[in-house]
Amino acid sequence: MAQLGLFVALFALVVCSIAATSKNYITLNDDIRHNALEEIAPWNQNLQIRQLWKRDTSSDNGLNWKHLPASGYLKKLYKLSKEAKNLPEPIKEAIKNRDFSSITVEDVKQVNVTILEYIPPEMMANMNETVLEQVVSKFLSFNRPNALGRLVETVSEKLSPVTLLDKIKQTTSQQTGHQVFNDASGVLLYSAVSRLGDIGGLTERQITKLKGQDLLKFVPEEQLMRVNESNAAKALLEALYGNTDNPEANEPDDKALVYKLVETQNGPPKDWSEETIRTVASKYLKFLPAATLKQFSPDKISNSIFNLRDGNFDTPLQAKTVADSYMASEGFTKNSEGIIEGKPDKLQGIFDTLKSLSAFVNPSVTNNPNLLSTIISECDKLKLPAPLQAVSKFLKSQFRGKNISSLTKDELRHLKPDVLRNCPPEVVSRAMETNAIDDAKVKEIGNAEPSKNDGIFGNSFFKGMIAQMTSFVVQKFKEGVNKYNVQSLPSSFIGGIGVKGTQNLDNTQLLSILDRLKDPRSVDMSDEQKALFLKKLTDTVPDWSSRIPPEYAFLIPRTKGKYMNGEELNGLPSDSELRLVHAQGKLINPGLLERDPSLIGTLTPKQVESIDLQNIPAILAAVRKSKDGPQPQTLKALSKRFAEYIRLKSDEYDTEDKKLLKFITAAEVSKLPASVLAYFVDKRQTAKLPASVRKEMMIALGEMTTKDRALIPDKTREEIILQGLDALDSILGDEGLKTIDLPDLAAIGHSVVDLHPNIIQKLTPVAFEQALDMIQGTTEEDGGLKQRACLNPEQKKAWRNKIIENYGKPKSWDPSTVSTLCCLLPLLDEDDLKKIDKESIVTCHCISDSSPPPHLIETKKSLDKACEKRLGKPDDTKKVFEKIRTKGALDLSDLESQIIPGLRKKRAHDHSKHKRGLTCFVVRLAGNPAEFDHDTLATLKPKDMKDCLYELGSVKLSHGDERLLWDKLVEANGRLVRNIPVDQLKQAGYILTGIKSEEVNDLDLADDDVIAAISRPLGFSKTLLTKMAGRIEMVRYNQEHKFVVSDLIILRNILCGFNIETLQRIVPETFGEALPILRDLDPNCELSHLAALLNIAMHEKVYGDPGNWTAADVRGVGILLKGVNGVKKIPPEAFLGLSPTVAAGLTENTLNQLSKEQLSFIPKFSAQGMSEAQVNSLSLEGQEALHETIQGPLVTDAARILQPISTLPTLFTIFSIFVTITTNIF
């Protein structure tokens, strides 16, 4: 009975111990713990023993040592190591008394570094500075970054940043010309440079020393901005930005830093002398915000105008500010009614002086055709749309009331290219009809240099004009049947040679085009042309892949041609097929990611599992640097590994994940990506972190791109920002964060798009102007993607108020103001937009609203859908603006009303909606026909359609509207389909979906360009596709025909009309080469046809058995996946390649076959793109898997996301003890 009683007691002890593990680690005495740990060799015995002791003896849990009796802590050190008993007596006494104030440098030198590491920093806090420096040196020499980080954060006020930097030099080495820091010196470097300017700001002496030590590049911008001395600012400017043409100087944070340094060097801008203005303008003008330029008096601007006008402005708003101020100095000011008044006879001299700044003169001040022509010309050079008022007044002066159709070649040939580019399409059409546009003008128009932000096709008005002229221009360079003088053909018109012309390119012509692709924005070709172009290159030109931009590279097939290396893939999004296939099977380590950063965005959870735990911080640092991070599933896996790493370092095996950040320093946080930090954010716990840590978390968030930031939930981002701002407030002390100026904005970064409305109001004018670039989405932060910020109604209202506060009421805005604020107009209320002058608003076409490059279409679509999910409805910001702009264009009526005086006003008795009907001029101003209703479209004259076919066919309309426009196109060509020129069919786009079944036989389906035009739009019915396919087989192919690559590329969506037997004849190798085009077939293609094509893709010579597929294969088959049978065979991780478009097209039957694990690997953006019906068709388990991916790292998620890894060894240890003891007893 005694034995049984002992057994029960022991069993109860074990049960109680197991229950205790949810809160604390084992509560058995130290000897039992030590003996138990010796039994678990598989759990890395030695390291675990050391770390578990460290948990009790170090300050990692912060409080343990304070609750021990005076001698308790010393006894623990004795148990840790025999060496502890040999501690110098002064150290023993200091530990007992918890007072290190009398400890000397010699005492510290005699202490073993491991023992020193276990003494809590709080105990050592009252050491004098010299002794603390010795502790720092010891930690540095033995590379103990964790202990060093805790010590420096605890005693930061005692350790001078300059002193710390001197110590770093002792432990750095030089390798291939670069400084190499060990872990401890890296921690110390951060601790020093992040505090350099906190007290009194950086001095000139410090800057010189940092430069000499080659450490200046490590100092963060927000610290560099804390320079307070003029000489120090001058020295820093010269050291960092001696060459302002350096591309790095154009980054938003660098631009802000340059301005701040210029201001510090020269004092408040309002006090600058004319000499200072001239000196600064010669080198740093582009860095001066418009808000600063406004502080210069008109007289100072006037006396400095020759320096300012030739300066390199960064934004139109800066240039406009200077122009307005100079006009004011010459007596041109607004009267009480907002009309500019001044002496007209002074204008010619003003224009001569302003030169390029003449673009910003309000055209209402003059009717002089020469001056109006200057305004148009200077706007064109700046790639800005010319004010409509300037164009209309100039044309009136030239045509003197004559009807367009009666204008002669002599009357039109004087129009310069810059005027033609801004002309109504009717004028351009007449100029072509009369052959008034000679070869020189054609080349000047078509070879226009793209602007730095959007290229020549960023402005939809200009793109429409190029499309209108293409057929006319290409004919000038025709040398035979489908042969063109491509070398002389202007870049903008190369797309006009069509697929037949592309297939006939010789090597010289291929190389000519390849050379122009150095700037792909200047060349516009359809995807079919790009694919055929790449096919020709592959077959005939060696070593071409390194010269292909991402706008073309996304169409390179995997099955043939040279694989691209990592450097050549960086322009492609991380979920593109080529990047995914490049990454598969690679064993990831920090060195590999440093050599090939393109792998970072393609990381998979499986790869993360195989990474050595000690390499996790370096991997996370690489993710932080990347501008295209991994999928959420991978980030979650990285978070788990990072939690393991923190626990290994701090021994808090049973601590909730949300509490783990307290065990890492700000230096470590400065290298971590916000996308991983987000998994550890919790309102209660994050608020307890040191201010330096919270600030670094906000900086990390601010460095993220739009795409990666969208992966973090709103509430989590808000919490990081609020805690970061609170940290800044506490760091500033008594001053507090009363306003948000440039140094603060540097820390906030791109998180400015998430600011609370109350914080937005705190932005200073200069910081506000800097923030606008990020709000309007015109920066290059996403590899060429332009995306306006997704704002909730409260944020939108706050930005709207701030815009009006800085730029006045919209009713007072002149054309140049509207032009420079174009991308911000959608932030205004509908009533605001209605007050803007119609002639100004109709020429506003923002690059953020334009179609992205083809390789970024999925990304932009994903972000739009993410915004819709965030707001709970589609973002109507752009739609309201488009509606107002379209209405403004309609109110301007037609071309003649712009040129002939008196026709613009309606008579009082005329109540018709649009007196003169819809014209191509109005269509071009609107950019597309989406906002025109059916009745308005019906007023467009058929004969005019040719002038705006590109715009009319650029977007999908209702079938009724498409049928209406198609009928008009047929009517314009003698009511015969066969009379429609091929060039018009190539421009017609979605209008072609209005074709009737009985009209198919009238199309020339033996012509490759006709087929390519018809096969491109989405939305044809099955009947029409079958009819087209049958007709093509009749006129082109016999029953034995074998499809070649060009056939498949050109046929595209028409393949959905062929019978299954015909599709089965496609050779797999041929199919693989055409797959980059075929993977984007119409999602409405019949499942049987998609299945037939997918079966070809599953051939061993293409992608093979789906059971072996990777994410690259799922991405590669695209919409064909919709036709899959046996979807369960596909490995779960392969679904990381599922695009939003394909996810939205999956049938309920396919979705129901997916396992929970497969669903859990669907990317967040793809899951968000699914319809409510699709999601509801899933099981509850499946819906939960999708929901977990979509919600991401919530601040309320506590420890559920990441489970502690130590429970198993803990329970195993207790159970082992129990078994051992009971075995001995019984």
Side-chain angles (χ1 to χ4, degrees), residues 43-339:
W43 295 91
N44 196 355
Q45 173 183 315
N46 295 332
L47 180 61
Q48 290 283 1
I49 291 173
R50 181 172 179 272
Q51 294 292 339
L52 283 170
W53 274 110
K54 183 180 170 186
R55 172 184 178 271
D56 279 343
T57 58
S58 76
S59 65
D60 274 351
N61 72 14
L63 297 174
N64 284 355
W65 67 276
K66 294 181 181 178
H67 297 293
L68 293 173
S71 61
Y73 202 85
L74 192 58
K75 289 180 179 178
K76 282 187 172 289
L77 287 178
Y78 289 165
K79 287 185 178 182
L80 173 64
S81 171
K82 292 179 180 180
E83 293 182 17
K85 294 182 179 180
N86 299 323
L87 282 172
E89 286 302 320
I91 296 289
K92 290 180 182 179
E93 289 301 314
I95 293 175
K96 287 180 183 179
N97 300 325
R98 299 175 186 182
D99 181 4
F100 279 68
S101 60
S102 60
I103 296 300
T104 66
V105 170
E106 288 303 316
D107 293 333
V108 172
K109 286 181 178 180
Q110 296 178 49
V111 181
N112 180 288
V113 71
T114 302
I115 303 298
L116 195 62
E117 192 177 5
Y118 295 153
I119 299 176
E122 292 89 344
M123 280 192 185
M124 295 187 283
N126 62 355
M127 283 181 175
N128 67 47
E129 185 176 341
T130 305
V131 180
L132 281 172
E133 288 176 15
Q134 178 60 38
V135 178
V136 168
S137 296
K138 202 150 190 173
F139 286 153
L140 270 176
S141 299
F142 288 91
N143 193 23
R144 299 296 169 87
N146 301 329
L148 182 57
R150 290 192 298 271
L151 175 67
V152 172
E153 284 205 359
T154 303
V155 298
S156 59
E157 293 183 2
K158 284 193 171 185
L159 295 173
S160 161
V162 177
T163 303
L164 297 181
L165 288 175
D166 287 339
K167 291 193 173 295
I168 290 173
K169 298 298 292 184
Q170 303 169 10
T171 54
T172 56
S173 59
Q174 294 286 333
Q175 292 182 10
T176 61
H178 299 286
Q179 292 188 78
V180 178
F181 300 95
N182 63 24
D183 294 338
S185 58
V187 168
L188 199 61
L189 175 65
Y190 167 82
S191 301
V193 299
S194 63
R195 296 189 294 114
L196 270 173
D198 284 351
I199 303 175
L202 279 171
T203 65
E204 183 181 6
R205 182 179 178 184
Q206 289 174 331
I207 291 166
T208 303
K209 189 172 184 179
L210 286 168
K211 184 181 178 182
Q213 294 175 332
D214 197 25
L215 295 175
L216 197 57
K217 59 190 173 186
F218 297 107
V219 184
E221 278 85 357
E222 57 101 9
Q223 285 295 320
L224 294 174
M225 287 186 188
R226 300 188 190 281
V227 171
N228 297 323
E229 300 173 1
S230 175
N231 289 338
K234 181 179 180 181
L236 196 52
L237 270 173
E238 191 58 38
L240 293 177
Y241 305 106
N243 176 17
T244 54
D245 293 329
N246 184 342
E248 287 187 5
N250 292 319
E251 295 293 325
D253 50 356
D254 285 279
K255 288 194 291 187
L257 174 58
V258 173
Y259 166 71
K260 193 67 178 176
L261 294 176
V262 168
E263 185 183 46
T264 302
Q265 178 188 351
N266 298 286
K270 63 183 179 62
D271 298 331
W272 287 4
S273 66
E274 292 167 9
E275 181 60 33
T276 300
I277 293 174
R278 288 193 286 269
T279 302
V280 171
S282 65
K283 194 168 186 178
Y284 299 113
L285 181 59
K286 70 177 182 179
F287 300 102
L288 303 183
T292 296
L293 296 172
K294 284 181 181 178
Q295 298 180 47
F296 302 154
S297 69
D299 287 342
K300 288 181 179 179
I301 290 286
S302 177
N303 293 330
S304 310
I305 193 63
F306 293 104
N307 300 84
L308 292 169
R309 72 177 187 188
D310 298 325
N312 180 17
F313 291 101
D314 192 54
T315 68
L317 195 57
Q318 295 168 300
K320 173 184 164 41
T321 302
V322 173
D324 285 350
S325 188
Y326 182 74
M327 289 289 288
S329 74
E330 294 294 322
F332 284 82
T333 56
K334 288 183 180 179
N335 62 21
S336 58
E337 297 179 358
I339 299 172

Side-chain angles (χ1 to χ4, degrees), residues 942-960:
K943 68 180 181 65
D944 294 336
M945 281 190 66
K946 68 182 188 304
D947 295 334
C948 53
L949 266 178
Y950 163 76
E951 290 93 339
L952 291 170
S954 62
V955 295
K956 182 75 177 163
L957 303 174
S958 69
H959 184 66

Side-chain angles (χ1 to χ4, degrees), residues 325-448:
S325 188
Y326 182 74
M327 289 289 288
S329 74
E330 294 294 322
F332 284 82
T333 56
K334 288 183 180 179
N335 62 21
S336 58
E337 297 179 358
I339 299 172
I340 298 177
E341 295 178 330
K343 296 180 179 179
D345 58 344
K346 298 180 67 176
L347 283 171
Q348 185 63 61
I350 291 173
F351 273 63
D352 291 341
T353 300
L354 286 176
K355 289 192 173 180
S356 63
L357 299 185
S358 300
F360 302 97
V361 174
N362 193 325
S364 66
V365 302
T366 183
N367 291 315
N368 184 317
N370 291 329
L371 299 182
L372 293 167
S373 176
T374 300
I375 293 174
I376 296 169
S377 176
E378 296 301 339
C379 283
D380 189 69
K381 290 176 184 176
L382 296 171
K383 300 299 179 290
L384 293 172
L388 187 58
Q389 188 180 16
V391 176
S392 62
K393 289 168 76 172
F394 176 77
L395 293 179
K396 287 176 187 178
S397 70
Q398 299 299 298
F399 303 155
R400 297 182 177 85
K402 289 187 67 173
N403 190 286
I404 292 296
S405 59
S406 63
L407 292 173
T408 66
K409 179 179 179 179
D410 286 340
E411 291 171 314
L412 291 165
R413 66 186 178 87
H414 297 294
L415 297 181
K416 296 187 294 185
D418 47 45
V419 174
L420 286 170
R421 259 193 289 269
N422 290 278
C423 261
E426 291 83 350
V427 174
V428 177
S429 179
R430 182 60 183 167
M432 290 189 294
E433 288 173 9
T434 60
N435 208 25
I437 305 177
D438 59 25
D439 289 359
K441 287 181 182 176
V442 164
K443 289 182 178 181
E444 190 174 341
I445 290 170
N447 287 326

Side-chain angles (χ1 to χ4, degrees), residues 715-728:
K715 294 294 182 184
T716 306
R717 297 201 309 270
E718 289 172 13
E719 181 65 19
I720 292 173
I721 294 168
L722 288 173
Q723 292 297 341
L725 292 173
D726 182 69
L728 283 179

